[in-house]
Amino acid sequence: MKVSCSTSFAFLILFLFAVQSMVVYAGSFHKDVQIHWGDGRGKVRDRDGKLLSLSLDKSSGSGFQSHQEFLYGKAEVQMKLVPGNSAGTVTTFYLKSPGTTWDEIDFEFLGNISGHPYTLHTNVYTRGSGDKEQQFHLWFDPTVNFHTYCITWNPQRIIFTVDGIPIREFKNSESTGVPFPKNQPMRLYASLWEAEHWATRGGLEKTDWTKAPFTAFYRNYNVEGCVWANGRSSCPANSPWFAQKLDKAGEDKVKWAQSKYMVYNYCTDKRRFPQGVPRVCT
């Protein structure tokens, strides 16, 4: 088959557009976030702002926050957690609005004694009310290599993914009276802090401060979202995440993750909810 120069050029343009659309443009810790607490325990490690570390010792932890607020978005980062005996430590990546009736979407990694797995704790708060915890033991050691954690928040659902695998979907169920975070812009936060009174086996395992400082690493931070400014949000045009939902393959991956690796689900905790599980579970 003979292909004309114009046809070849058209194919080239389509190819270049497709390649460009697949590129992930990572943000910069230098320009996108502020290390807002920790007195020097949080550090950007390279000139390009791609790698950041947070540390915890007996005096203080550390954390950073995004400069911008977002009303919906897709936020992801790669993390390598505290190795060894990390009991009592909590490493986080989450969205949160200010105030006493805040909204919040959580990834929290609860440390453990050496040889025992981290617990990945997920939760969704609306107007200051949470109580929607699901917890997982990961299928890999999150302290050896970097792994990608992503929160997709759009008007219809919140999707939590680990290395591209969806592990939880929290749908907008306002039609049944279940609140959904949709009105309060949120910042991205990350932190490393001490919570030995509850983080590991309900507080039975305490922090071994002889192992301090504890250090976690973050890299390839990237947020694409509806930026909130001057009382309104501005969304990127034609963003796939804004209407993203799980297809059959995605739903099957959630079932796989929850059947094999979920260790706590508020929807099945009858002792905690003796009058019946929350409406969002039904």
Side-chain angles (χ1 to χ4, degrees), residues 260-281:
K260 288 185 173 291
Y261 299 102
M262 181 182 283
V263 295
Y264 177 80
N265 184 0
Y266 74 107
C267 287
T268 60
D269 193 340
K270 295 181 180 179
R271 179 178 297 181
R272 182 180 177 188
F273 301 106
Q275 304 303 317
V277 297
R279 281 176 293 177
V280 69
C281 300

Side-chain angles (χ1 to χ4, degrees), residues 191-225:
S191 59
L192 175 56
W193 53 289
E194 174 271 319
E196 67 174 12
H197 58 289
W198 67 269
T200 307
R201 296 183 59 215
L204 294 178
E205 302 290 349
K206 302 300 183 182
T207 304
D208 182 357
W209 292 109
T210 68
K211 306 297 184 184
F214 304 98
T215 302
F217 293 89
Y218 296 75
R219 75 178 186 189
N220 294 338
Y221 168 90
N222 188 53
V223 183
E224 182 182 0

Side-chain angles (χ1 to χ4, degrees), residues 146-197:
F146 283 92
H147 293 269
T148 303
Y149 305 94
C150 179
I151 297 169
T152 300
W153 169 40
N154 64 39
Q156 296 305 317
R157 57 189 43 82
I158 298 163
I159 302 171
F160 298 81
T161 63
V162 177
D163 286 341
I165 297 174
I167 63 169
R168 178 178 186 180
E169 179 184 31
F170 182 82
K171 294 182 178 179
N172 185 336
S173 300
E174 286 186 309
S175 61
T176 64
V178 178
F180 185 83
K182 67 173 189 178
N183 295 317
Q184 300 191 65
M186 297 194 252
R187 293 186 193 274
L188 257 295
Y189 293 88
S191 59
L192 175 56
W193 53 289
E194 174 271 319
E196 67 174 12
H197 58 289

